[in-house]
Amino acid sequence: QVQLAESGGGLVQPGGSLRLSCAASGSIARVNVMGWYRQAPGKERELVADIRSGTITNYADSVKGRFTISGDQAKNTVYLQMNSLKPEDTAVYYCQANIQTGRFQNEYRYWGQGTQVTVSS
């Protein structure tokens, strides 16, 4: 069994910063991709950023230059540093990971429970 544990959400004023963390635990053979998605009320879930092989990053255009994703492969942990936050960044942020597990090391997609980020004055 694999679990993703998120932390770091909250309320912040426009222009402020937050840092999200997500740690994967359990029967893990290999973590291939870790990333963050978000879902605002009435909108579809969208990719914010992801990182693979510990160094290859990908960002949504809306967060480029403001958000930074990083990972600690030894700890199976991913971080999302969010700077210059805007009200439109308000959403539930979900950690997502592609992890190889089990006897045959098949890859499965896992999700965290979500953490609320609210940007408001």
Side-chain angles (χ1 to χ4, degrees), residues 59-103:
Y59 294 93
D61 288 343
S62 59
V63 306
K64 283 181 180 177
R66 299 189 298 122
F67 291 11
T68 302
I69 191 167
S70 61
D72 185 334
Q73 288 184 289
K75 296 181 179 179
N76 291 328
T77 299
V78 65
Y79 307 96
L80 185 68
Q81 178 66 42
M82 304 185 293
N83 298 328
S84 303
L85 282 160
K86 305 175 181 179
E88 50 264 44
D89 294 317
T90 295
V92 178
Y93 283 68
Y94 296 91
C95 179
Q96 186 273 322
N98 293 358
I99 296 174
Q100 290 178 257
T101 185
R103 179 182 177 187

Side-chain angles (χ1 to χ4, degrees), residues 1-5 22-34 72-77 97-103 105-108 110:
Q1 189 72 7
V2 173
Q3 293 182 330
L4 301 181
C22 174
S25 62
S27 181
I28 296 172
R30 182 184 178 91
V31 178
N32 293 321
V33 183
M34 292 192 80
D72 185 334
Q73 288 184 289
K75 296 181 179 179
N76 291 328
T77 299
N98 293 358
I99 296 174
Q100 290 178 257
T101 185
R103 179 182 177 187
Q105 298 191 15
N106 294 324
E107 184 180 90
Y108 298 95
Y110 294 91

Side-chain angles (χ1 to χ4, degrees), residues 36-40 43-49 60 62-63 88-89 91-94 111:
W36 294 93
Y37 286 69
R38 66 185 180 186
Q39 187 167 20
K43 294 188 177 181
E44 293 187 352
R45 191 173 296 188
E46 62 176 1
L47 174 69
V48 177
S62 59
V63 306
E88 50 264 44
D89 294 317
V92 178
Y93 283 68
Y94 296 91
W111 292 91

